[in-house]
Structure formats: C-alpha cells, structure tokens
Amino acid sequence: MSKSESVVHGSAVPPNALPALGRLLETQVCAALIAEHGHTIVAKVARAHLDALRIDARAGKLDASQLEPQALHDAIAAGLDRELSGAMRRVFNLTGTVLHTNLGRATLAPAVARYVSQVAAGPNSLEFDIASGRRGDRDHLVEGLLCQLTGAQAATVVNNNAGAVLLTLAALAQGRDAIVSRGELVEIGGSFRMPDVMAAAGVTLVEVGTTNRTHLQDYERALGANTGLLMKVHTSNYAIQGFTAEVDEQALGDLARRHGVPLVSDLGSGTLVDLSRYGLPREPLPQDKLLAGCDVVTFSGDKLLGGPQAGLIVGQRDIIERIRRHPLKRALRMGQLPMAALEATLRLYLRPEHLTKELPTLRLLTRSQHDLRQLAADLQPHVAQACAPCVTVSVRDMDSQIGSGSLPGRQLPSAGLALSLAGGVSGAGRLDGRALERLAAAWRALPQPVIGRLSDNQFLMDLRCLDDVATFRTQLADLPPLLAQADLS
Ligand SMILES: *Cc1c(COP(=O)(O)O)cnc(C)c1O
C-alpha cells in the first residue's frame, strides 16, 4: 500500500503497476470487506475490478490515483454492493396505470405483507390440519372464504389465471371441443392467447358467430357429441362497439344444461365488490356469473382483487372436484407465500366497510381528482426547485387507467406534474426527444426509481399511486446532480 501511495498523481501508469490479485486480497484494502462478506465474493469482484483497470492501463488511461488504497477499496465495495443488493427494487409507479403488470400489478396491503412474512418465516400449517393433527389441503386455507365471498359451492386456486384457464380446459374438455364466440378470442399481454391456450390444454377450439355478432343458434348448431364445454371469455382489454350481439350467461347456461356440458367463464379481472358503489365503472363479479348460470368462473388474484398473483377457480362442487384431480393442478399449484397473501387479502373482504382504507388497489382507484390536484400543487414548488433551471414543472389534470385489462377505455380523472424542458415549448419548436428520455432516466436513477411516462413532449408523473410522499420529497435532494449529468441543455 505504501508503494501505491508514493505514485505521482495525475499521470498515466502502465499495466505492470497494477497489484497482483493475491497480494491485493491480503492488504488492508480488502481485509474488512473479506471479514464482512467472505473471501469468495471479494476475490471475484476484486478480479473484475483489476481486469477493468488493466484495460484502462493498456489504453494509457489509468490514473495513479485509481491505485490508491482508498480508491481501490471504494471501487471494490461499490462492486460488492452491485452484486449483493437486490435486483427487484421498490419503485414509485407514477405511470398513471394502477395495475401495471411490469410493476407488479396489485400492491399488497401492509397487513397482508406482515402476515406473509410472519407465517412464511418458519414452519406453518400450509397443508396441515392443526385440530386433527392430520395432513390437510392448501386449498382449504382459502376455499371457505372464496365460497363465502362468491356464493360458490367450491373453489380451488393455482399459480395465476392463465393457469386457471389452462387447467379448467384440460380437466373438463381434453380431447374434446370447446365452443367460444369469435368475438371473445382474446389475447392478453404476455402471449396469453385463447386459441393457443386451448391447443396447449389439448382442447379443440370451435369458433362460432362473427367478430361482432354471435347468437344462441350459433352455439346450438356447434353443439355435438364431442362438445366438452361452452366458454365465455370476458373481453377485458378491448370493446366491440356498434352493430353487436352476444349471448348472455343466462341463455348460454340453459343451453349448456340442456346438453349436459358445463359453461365456463373466464372473467380475467374479477372483482369481489361492486365497484359502482365507489363511483367506479362496474366490472362483472364472479358471484353474478355464477348466479347467471356459469358452472365455473376463473379470475386473477392480482388484478382488481388486489392480492398476490393467483388464479382463482370457483363453481359447482362436482366440477371443481374434477379440476382439482387433474395432474396439471399439482404442476400449477400456488406456493406458500402467495397462498398466505391470498388468504389474508380475502379476509380483508370480510370487512367491506374498511376496504377502501385497507386494500391499496381500491384506495388508489378511489382517490379523488380534487385530492390529487391538491397533492400536485403541494409538490410542484419542491419538484420545480429540484429541476431548475433546465426543466419547468406544472400541475396538470391527467387520466389514470386501471390497467391489466380491466375496464378497457375507462379513464379515471387524475392529476399530476408535467415536466417540460425549459425553452422547449416556446423555442425551437420540436423538442429533442432524446433529452426528454434522459430526463426520465434521471428520475429512474433515484434511490427509489420514479417511473413516469412520456407524452406530448412532456414527462408526466400521475400522482394517483404516490403513497410515500415523504420519501418522494426527501430524495428530490438527489436529483440535481443526476439532471446535471443528463445534459438537458
Ligand atoms: C388477465 C387475464 C388472463 C390472465 O390472467 P393472469 O392472472 O395474468 O394469468 C386471462 N384471461 C383474461 C380474460 C384476462 O383478463
């Protein structure tokens, strides 16, 4: 160490001035790091750092100051940080999409997160009946709750709704036909396409009707000896408008019963409470579909339900039994962490009066534009100060959306902050889109990344999902150097 300290500052040093890895690991530079993290990872990171320095040295770009003990220590410590800190980061979702699939969809309620960490931190009664001391079934943790909340006779759960649909089709119609309206052959993001799911389940898709109109006779004509089931799919991410006709579950249920086949409904985003109670657009409820005559309904745990990723299957007891016995059920079964989260989330529904307070999804969806405007006005001066002088910040009304294919085309009046590059609007006309992207990147480089969206030559932050205002404000102090690096001029 004393050797490198004696090197003259500011001059390029040759590759042979680099310490050998073995020696470096024995010096004070690494001692504390090895004591904390062990030899293996420190050696790996130190080797990578020396390799990088060697490349610089060969290019004549290695400065002697980089070989000083403190500099070497800091670089290796930073490398360890990068290796060891989690890749999954808490972010601020200011995109305006409440259930954002790329940002984890529904946020778990704090009480739910506490329950998960408590029961999952040790052995638990996942498949154990404490009263009898016998083996239990993980479905039983949530089946009673799901039956209570939906009026179903029985319920089972799997990993996600795509899995729920796949399993239901395979269990009820493998090697047979499933009849679906042409207007309902949906594609959900992430390559869930109804025709492909049917094929994967070993079911033959029989399309009936046309894209815009399907009638009862269309289903009737397609029914035959090889029909395994009739299916309704909620067109959750698009709407067919104009000259349209579809057959409701009542009529379809009667038809299915006359032919002795089940009617399955894939609801996508099932909500267990009538959203119109909160001034939100009404989404179909699984309980409505069951009452109307569906034998089985599938829906997601992490869409409007506001829980963990899960696929919920509710319906007639004998049909749920057939589904439960299929081998795919075991392959698609839920893990204990989401299971605990689902159970705790469903329990929140036992106290509907508290839901808008306790269930984050519902709380965020029901925030009023008035409150969000107020929040935007409160934050505007602080954000403006952190962004000056290159960026101007204004309060703006916006439209949030629910996301994850819920309530397509319905906007929720919201408010937030619009950031423009100063001079961009009045000045040279077209803005430099790259500079705007660098502005967005600077916000993502904050300790808790802020994810907004770009629109109309502005960087927009919709405040509907901003919960932790204190952290948001505190980390504004980190923004000016990031904006300086972003070179927005
Ligand atoms: C979202 C959705 C699915 C897929 O559900 P995941 O929980 O994402 O697997 C299937 N069908 C419909 C109609 C949907 O909206």
Side-chain angles (χ1 to χ4, degrees):
M1 288 212 312
S2 56
K3 202 172 164 194
S4 59
E5 273 159 15
S6 67
V7 174
V8 183
H9 284 220
S11 57
V13 293
N16 63 11
L18 289 174
L21 177 63
R23 251 208 66 222
L24 179 63
L25 291 170
E26 284 163 9
T27 63
Q28 281 308 310
V29 167
C30 294
L33 295 173
I34 290 175
E36 187 180 351
H37 300 291
H39 189 273
T40 309
I41 182 85
V42 177
K44 174 176 183 257
V45 170
R47 179 184 291 115
H49 184 54
L50 287 178
D51 288 348
L53 292 180
R54 196 168 296 112
I55 290 169
D56 282 353
R58 290 207 184 105
K61 289 193 300 197
L62 180 63
D63 190 276
S65 66
Q66 289 172 271
L67 297 183
E68 286 182 8
Q70 192 64 50
L72 287 171
H73 172 276
D74 292 352
I76 295 169
L80 284 165
D81 241 19
R82 281 193 299 275
E83 288 274 333
L84 296 174
S85 59
M88 203 154 145
R89 308 257 308 271
R90 274 292 286 275
V91 302
F92 286 106
N93 171 14
L94 305 190
T95 60
T97 301
V98 178
L99 298 170
H100 197 299
T101 296
N102 306 138
L103 303 180
R105 284 198 188 158
T107 298
L108 292 184
V112 171
R114 279 196 300 277
Y115 182 74
V116 172
S117 66
Q118 190 194 57
V119 296
N124 53 57
S125 59
L126 177 67
E127 289 187 352
F128 186 78
D129 181 48
I130 302 220
S132 68
R134 296 216 184 89
R135 188 185 187 288
D137 183 325
R138 64 183 70 195
D139 272 0
H140 292 161
L141 294 171
V142 293
E143 185 172 20
L145 285 163
L146 278 170
C147 291
Q148 224 186 108
L149 294 166
T150 65
Q153 291 177 354
T156 184
V157 289
V158 289
N159 184 49
N160 57 24
N161 188 40
V165 174
L166 178 72
L167 170 62
T168 301
L169 288 168
L172 304 183
Q174 208 152 41
R176 304 175 72 188
D177 299 344
I179 304 178
V180 189
S181 161
R182 282 210 165 79
E184 299 175 7
L185 292 173
V186 305
E187 173 180 317
I188 313 292
S191 72
F192 177 94
R193 311 177 96 193
M194 200 44 84
D196 299 345
V197 177
M198 296 247 174
V203 171
T204 306
L205 167 64
V206 176
E207 301 173 39
V208 297
T210 61
T211 305
N212 57 327
R213 289 173 71 82
T214 302
H215 308 282
L216 192 62
Q217 305 91 283
D218 296 324
Y219 290 94
E220 259 169 346
R221 236 175 278 135
L223 267 158
N226 203 39
T227 302
L229 55 82
L230 301 187
M231 186 163 196
K232 281 287 279 183
V233 184
H234 183 51
T235 56
S236 50
N237 53 4
Y238 64 95
I240 296 180
Q241 283 168 349
F243 186 54
T244 63
E246 64 169 317
V247 185
D248 66 21
E249 285 80 3
Q250 204 96 45
L252 220 45
D254 290 344
L255 181 66
R257 266 184 301 283
R258 280 206 305 280
H259 287 80
V261 295
L263 172 61
V264 173
S265 165
D266 175 25
L267 213 43
S269 187
T271 164
L272 296 176
V273 289
D274 180 358
L275 294 181
S276 63
R277 274 183 19 198
Y278 308 104
L280 293 165
R282 198 183 145 80
E283 267 275 296
L285 309 170
Q287 43 269 50
D288 293 347
K289 297 294 173 192
L290 292 172
L291 276 178
C294 294
D295 298 292
V296 191
V297 181
T298 62
F299 55 107
S300 283
D302 57 356
K303 291 184 181 172
L304 281 169
L305 185 81
Q309 180 184 303
L312 285 60
I313 310 174
V314 299
Q316 303 278 353
R317 182 166 295 112
D318 56 327
I319 293 181
I320 296 294
E321 252 338 292
R322 275 167 72 192
I323 292 172
R324 204 178 261 143
R325 280 196 306 268
H326 192 276
L328 269 179
K329 167 68 167 71
R330 173 61 181 79
L332 297 170
R333 82 173 177 195
M334 272 180 86
Q336 61 170 315
L337 303 185
M339 201 68 185
L342 179 61
E343 189 215 333
T345 303
L346 291 174
R347 272 189 209 291
L348 297 179
Y349 282 86
L350 298 180
R351 308 197 303 171
E353 291 83 357
H354 294 279
L355 264 186
T356 51
K357 201 169 77 228
E358 294 184 342
L359 193 71
T361 300
L362 205 51
R363 182 165 47 75
L364 297 175
L365 288 175
T366 53
R367 282 178 102 172
S368 76
Q369 187 177 38
H370 176 268
D371 290 354
L372 293 168
R373 281 180 184 148
Q374 187 60 54
L375 179 58
D378 291 347
L379 286 174
Q380 189 274 339
H382 304 285
V383 175
Q385 192 191 14
C387 288
C390 295
V391 178
T392 58
V393 180
S394 55
V395 173
R396 220 186 89 169
D397 282 353
M398 301 178 183
D399 287 316
S400 315
Q401 47 183 9
I402 296 180
S404 281
S406 310
L407 314 156
R410 315 276 181 78
Q411 312 281 6
L412 307 174
S414 184
L417 297 172
L419 279 60
S420 315
L421 297 180
V425 184
S426 56
R430 273 201 66 75
L431 261 176
D432 178 1
R434 292 254 174 76
L436 208 56
E437 269 164 31
R438 288 197 299 276
L439 171 63
W443 282 89
R444 290 199 307 275
L446 286 166
Q448 182 166 336
V450 174
I451 320 292
R453 75 189 142 99
L454 298 178
S455 171
D456 305 333
N457 280 335
Q458 290 183 312
F459 176 60
L460 302 183
M461 296 193 281
D462 185 319
L463 299 183
R464 175 171 297 280
C465 296
L466 178 60
D467 250 342
D468 184 358
V469 178
T471 301
F472 180 84
R473 273 198 53 182
T474 307
Q475 70 169 8
L476 287 177
D478 295 319
L479 194 63
L482 294 170
L483 291 179
Q485 276 169 37
D487 184 24
L488 302 174
S489 51

